[in-house]
Amino acid sequence: MTGSRLRLGVNIDHVATIRNARGGVHPDPVKAARLAVAAGADGITAHLREDRRHISDNDIARLVTEIDRPLNLEMAATDEMLAIALRHRPHAACIVPERREERTTEGGLDVVGGLARLTPMVTALREAGIRVSLFIEPDPRQLEAAARLGAPVVELHTGRYSHLAGSAAVVELERLTQAARHGAALGLEVHAGHGLRTDNVGPVAAIPELAELNIGHFLIGEAVFVGLDRAIGDMRAAMDAGRLQ
Ligand code: PXP
């Protein structure tokens, strides 16, 4: 699928963050998901965190039944989250590292060190027909461990790239490029995400082995100024322009 159209998964977690700031039902992340689909999102991504700081269990139940695009459930490698995934059977599950005190997902999953914990989890999800992805740093050892584990997909963490500028960003971009190539050679479908914005997405979108980007915080923030429809349209245009480079 190298060089094919890049899918955009829209992460709607932070609509729920705003809702939860007042404890009511507005704004509704499921309504945002519906608008995102209408604006061209190829899928919806939501992270059910252990502390339920944004997305709730009910949001996941509603996203599965009310949205007619693939749902990518981001989840920690815990028994609780595995049971929830097996109950709702989203299209995809992306296993992410999670620490209570972090502001967002910091760093990738340690697949090398977590093989014993991850193996039965990946097997159970796959047997349920859920496409499993592992959120990892662009590190060859992690890619090789993901392939050994039988995960069909990896998502490369672009958080470090997103925080850098100038030559440091170029170095990190090269790590992402090499990792995407290595992942594809190992037979993995390769995705990327975290911290992407319209002004930094182009060089990532240009990596031909990438099949999907998952983007949330910037889009929801931008929607305050220009609306979700335009924010997603602008992101799609920036991705398409990058892909053509
Ligand atoms: N991919 C994964 C695995 C994530 O955990 C997140 C954040 O929830 C994202 C993508 C999206 O990151 P951002 O909200 O910074 O665009």
Side-chain angles (χ1 to χ4, degrees):
M1 301 296 263
T2 298
S4 59
R5 183 179 178 276
L6 189 56
R7 297 192 301 269
L8 171 61
V10 173
N11 180 315
I12 41 89
D13 289 353
H14 296 301
V15 178
T17 302
I18 299 171
R19 174 194 62 191
N20 294 0
R22 291 293 168 92
V25 295
H26 180 82
D28 177 12
V30 181
K31 179 175 178 181
R34 227 175 271 125
L35 291 173
V37 168
D42 298 292
I44 298 298
T45 293
H47 185 174
L48 184 67
R49 292 188 73 102
E50 187 191 8
D51 62 9
R52 309 300 197 269
R53 71 175 70 157
H54 37 57
I55 292 294
S56 69
D57 297 66
N58 186 42
D59 293 331
I60 296 297
R62 289 180 59 217
L63 286 166
V64 166
T65 55
E66 295 180 33
I67 301 299
D68 63 0
R69 288 284 157 87
L71 175 67
N72 174 32
L73 171 67
E74 293 178 355
M75 53 178 268
T78 64
D79 293 339
E80 183 201 15
M81 288 300 150
L82 177 62
I84 290 170
L86 294 178
R87 185 166 351 116
H88 291 295
R89 296 183 184 239
H91 168 77
C94 180
I95 304 180
V96 301
E98 198 175 298
R99 286 185 293 123
R100 256 176 200 278
E101 65 279 12
E102 69 190 355
R103 252 193 268 168
T104 180
T105 312
E106 292 162 2
L109 197 63
D110 180 11
V111 187
V112 178
L115 273 177
R117 170 110 200 107
L118 292 168
T119 301
M121 190 160 276
V122 170
T123 304
L125 290 166
R126 289 194 70 177
E127 283 176 1
I130 300 168
R131 189 198 68 188
V132 184
S133 95
L134 304 177
F135 187 48
I136 59 171
E137 291 294 324
D139 173 340
R141 288 165 310 160
Q142 299 295 345
L143 285 156
E144 284 152 20
R148 274 201 305 280
L149 195 54
V153 181
V154 289
E155 180 167 326
L156 302 178
H157 198 315
T158 52
R160 187 194 299 266
Y161 162 77
S162 299
H163 282 118
L164 295 171
S167 58
V170 173
V171 170
E172 185 61 18
L173 182 66
E174 183 57 22
R175 277 183 80 212
L176 290 163
T177 303
Q178 294 304 331
R181 191 171 298 162
H182 191 46
L186 289 166
L188 298 164
E189 181 172 310
V190 187
H191 301 176
H194 212 283
L196 295 173
R197 311 179 301 269
T198 45
D199 66 302
N200 69 6
V201 77
V204 175
I207 300 172
E209 289 83 3
L210 291 180
E212 178 176 310
L213 301 181
N214 283 297
I215 308 180
H217 183 267
F218 178 83
L219 289 173
I220 304 308
E222 219 25 36
V224 172
F225 303 117
V226 301
L228 192 55
D229 182 64
R230 165 125 174 248
I232 291 173
D234 289 350
M235 183 59 75
R236 181 77 255 173
M239 285 166 57
D240 291 346
R243 199 69 164 174
L244 288 174
Q245 295 306 303

